[in-house]
Amino acid sequence: MSRFASLAIASTVFTVCTAGMAATPASADTASLDTLHCPTGTSKTTYDPPISRTEVDTTRTIDQKYTGCVGTGAAAGVTSGTHKDSNVTRRSCLQLGSEGDVSWEIKWNNGKTSKVSAHRVSNLVGAVFTNTFTGKITDGLLAGHGFVETMTALSPEITECTLNGGTVSELNADHTLNVI
């Protein structure tokens, strides 16, 4: 093989290798631009029949709104979203301060959806009930991204239920969602 042919092959291999290397950081930079922050969400959860200290089968209905959203990259133009669900569950107010794995789907204002899976940790301190969801978007808009969602509710009804045997029929909360 001639010296010229060897140099041409080496040059081609170098060009192909460096072109592939240059493309990787550009892709990573693009993915890092996909963010979403929804600071002013709210939710209303109802229990029918109301829950008490004794476990009952109850229909739990969740109506959640993600608002004030600001997105970048693939989430540009997302300003709001919703999550609605209804199921029959066996609950008591004593179980509200617990943890577990959950999943749900969010419908965004741009017509796209995100399926999420998270670990939930709930706490009740005084009359303040909190949930922290830490997880990943498993499908749809921003799939593969992690997220943290916090829910905070002032709920003297939960405190009354856990301490004195009252009931909880409704829970209203504020939410913040950060997709990273």
Side-chain angles (χ1 to χ4, degrees):
M1 181 182 312
S2 76
R3 186 172 184 194
F4 179 76
S6 296
L7 286 174
I9 291 170
S11 176
T12 302
V13 169
F14 178 78
T15 301
V16 169
C17 289
T18 57
M21 290 171 52
T24 302
S27 297
D29 289 344
T30 302
S32 68
L33 295 177
D34 297 337
T35 63
L36 183 60
H37 177 62
C38 301
T40 58
T42 59
S43 69
K44 178 180 180 177
T45 303
T46 59
Y47 298 97
D48 185 20
I51 58 175
S52 66
R53 291 174 62 145
T54 304
E55 281 189 8
V56 296
D57 288 332
T58 184
T59 300
R60 178 182 61 178
T61 303
I62 300 168
D63 184 3
Q64 185 171 349
K65 294 172 179 46
Y66 297 89
T67 56
C69 302
V70 176
T72 61
V78 172
T79 58
S80 63
T82 60
H83 160 65
K84 295 182 182 194
D85 191 28
S86 185
N87 58 29
V88 175
T89 184
R90 189 151 184 82
R91 289 275 165 163
S92 80
C93 62
L94 298 175
Q95 297 168 319
L96 293 177
S98 63
E99 64 180 273
D101 294 324
V102 295
S103 59
W104 66 94
E105 183 176 85
I106 303 169
K107 294 180 181 177
W108 302 108
N109 65 290
N110 65 359
K112 296 183 179 182
T113 61
S114 295
K115 291 182 182 175
V116 302
S117 181
H119 185 73
R120 171 191 50 80
V121 176
S122 303
N123 289 296
L124 178 64
V125 178
V128 179
F129 178 63
T130 61
N131 272 324
T132 302
F133 303 89
T134 305
K136 192 168 214 168
I137 299 175
T138 59
D139 192 31
L141 183 65
L142 300 177
H145 286 267
F147 75 93
V148 175
E149 182 172 342
T150 57
M151 180 201 100
T152 305
L154 182 61
S155 184
E157 295 83 8
I158 295 176
T159 303
E160 180 65 24
C161 182
T162 58
L163 296 178
N164 301 318
T167 62
V168 178
S169 60
E170 184 175 297
L171 182 62
N172 294 293
D174 294 322
H175 289 257
T176 299
L177 172 71
N178 287 300
V179 177
I180 47 179

